[in-house]
Amino acid sequence: MSDGDEPTESATEPASDGRNEVPDDYGTLYVVGIGPGLPDHMTKRATELISTSDCVVASNLYQEFLRDDGTLPPEESDEGPEVVRSSMGKQVELTREAFERVRNGEDVVHVSGGDPNVYGKSDLVFTMAETDEATDVPIEIVPGVTAALGGAAMMGAPLSNDFCTVSLSDKWRGWDEIEEKLRAAAISGFVIVLYNCWRNYERAIDVVREERADDVPVGIFNDAGRGEAGRNLDDETFSITTLGDAKAHDDDVGGMGTSILIGTHETEPWSNDYETYLVTPRGGRDVDDF
C-alpha cells in the first residue's frame, strides 16, 4: 500500500454483517409452533425449548396438551418453567412482559398452534418489538405443522402441486379483500385451503364456484393430528365432497379446528382397499413421467 492510501479490508477476513452481539445477560424470545399440539407432530426443538425455558406463555388448551404428554409438568408441580396463561385479549400485554423477561435474562417461549407464520403469533411479536422499541430483544421462530399440511396428510396427496391458504376471518381484513384473494386463487389454478371456516365459509364456496366447476373435489377436515384429543368433533375426521355440494356439509364444519381444501380440475379421488383419498398430481399422470 503506498503512502496516503486508505487501508483496505483483507480478502481473507470476512466483512462485518453489521449485526450486534446479544448481551450476555439477555435471554431469547422463542415463538414456538406446536402444530396440532400433540407430541407426535411437534419438532424435537419445540419440545426441548418448551421443557427447558424459564417461562412458557400458552393458552389453556395448549397447556392441557403439553401437560398431558409430559412436555410440561403437572399443574401442581413446582418443577419446570413458569407457565403463563395466554388469551386473545392479553396478547399485547403478554408480549410486552416477555420483552422485559428476556432483558432480565429469561428464555421465554410464546406458544403458537400450528405454525407461527401461518395466522400465528410471529407477526405480533415483530410488530410489538417495533412499536415498543424492543429491537434489542433476540427473537427466534420455531416452525410447526400447520393445519393445511396436517389435513393434507390425512387426505392423501392433495397439495402435491401449487397451493395457497386463505383465512376467512374478517377481523383484520374486510370481506371485499378476502373475496378478491379467493377469486384470484381460483382463477390461477391453486389448490385452496380455507382457514377460520366458522366465518363466511358458505360465502367463500360461492365465490370459488363462480370460477371452478361444481364437480371439483373438496375435502373438509377437523382437528388434523389431534386424534381423540380433538375439540370440535369426536376425533380427527375428514370427508370428501364436491364444490357444488360443499355447503350441504354444514355438520362437518365444527369450528376453529375445521379447514376446507378445494381442489382443482386435476384433483381426483383415489381409493385403495381401506380409504378414499384426494390426489393432485404434480405433473405427469404416469410413473414414467417422474
Side-chain angles (χ1 to χ4, degrees):
M1 181 175 68
S2 62
D3 291 343
D5 287 342
E6 292 293 330
T8 58
E9 213 167 49
S10 168
T12 61
E13 295 177 2
S16 171
D17 60 8
R19 296 179 182 176
N20 297 322
E21 293 292 328
V22 176
D24 292 338
D25 56 350
Y26 272 36
T28 299
L29 175 55
Y30 299 95
V31 187
V32 177
I34 62 170
L38 303 186
D40 287 349
H41 290 176
M42 286 171 57
T43 66
K44 182 179 179 182
R45 179 157 180 77
T47 301
E48 289 176 346
L49 286 173
I50 293 169
S51 302
T52 61
S53 65
D54 298 294
C55 176
V56 173
V57 181
S59 69
N60 285 344
L61 176 63
Y62 295 137
Q63 286 185 41
E64 181 180 342
F65 286 155
L66 295 170
R67 293 189 197 280
D68 285 347
D69 65 45
T71 305
L72 287 175
E75 191 169 2
E76 61 275 10
S77 173
D78 293 329
E79 299 179 355
E82 178 184 355
V83 181
V84 177
R85 178 180 175 271
S86 173
S87 65
M88 288 297 291
K90 296 178 63 179
Q91 297 295 324
V92 171
E93 172 189 339
L94 290 173
T95 303
R96 189 169 285 139
E97 178 184 334
F99 293 156
E100 291 309 308
R101 286 178 178 267
V102 170
R103 287 173 174 141
N104 290 330
E106 295 186 36
D107 288 328
V108 179
V109 166
H110 207 316
V111 171
S112 180
D115 182 277
N117 273 305
V118 185
Y119 316 118
K121 296 188 172 67
S122 58
D123 67 319
L124 170 66
V125 170
F126 287 107
T127 300
M128 286 291 300
E130 183 73 20
T131 301
D132 281 25
E133 298 182 352
T135 55
D136 59 312
V137 174
I139 300 169
E140 180 179 330
I141 308 300
V142 180
V145 178
T146 187
L149 302 182
M154 289 170 58
M155 292 188 291
L159 300 184
S160 295
N161 209 320
D162 298 329
F163 71 94
C164 68
T165 63
V166 178
S167 171
L168 301 185
S169 174
D170 53 10
K171 181 176 181 179
W172 290 283
R173 304 182 188 278
W175 175 254
D176 288 346
E177 182 177 347
I178 296 171
E179 180 176 343
E180 183 179 357
K181 290 180 177 181
L182 283 169
R183 194 176 305 281
I187 292 171
S188 300
F190 289 107
V191 174
I192 305 169
V193 183
L194 303 178
Y195 279 62
N196 297 314
C197 290
W198 77 95
R199 298 174 185 258
N200 301 314
Y201 95 91
E202 293 178 329
R203 295 173 72 180
I205 294 296
D206 286 339
V207 171
V208 178
R209 286 183 69 188
E210 294 176 14
E211 311 297 340
R212 288 198 182 164
D214 277 352
D215 61 355
V216 162
V218 167
I220 303 172
F221 57 93
N222 287 275
D223 292 317
R226 286 185 176 166
E228 295 180 355
R231 289 302 188 267
N232 295 314
L233 299 172
D234 294 335
D235 198 346
E236 60 180 16
T237 62
F238 74 91
S239 56
I240 293 176
T241 182
T242 62
L243 188 58
D245 290 336
K247 288 166 56 176
H249 288 256
D250 193 60
D251 290 344
D252 293 328
V253 181
M256 291 185 67
T258 303
S259 293
I260 298 175
L261 184 148
I262 304 174
T264 69
H265 67 282
E266 293 184 312
T267 307
E268 293 182 349
W270 183 95
S271 298
N272 60 11
D273 294 343
Y274 316 102
E275 187 63 85
T276 297
Y277 300 96
L278 289 181
V279 176
T280 305
R282 182 173 55 183
R285 293 179 178 271
D286 296 322
V287 173
D288 292 340
D289 292 330
F290 284 85

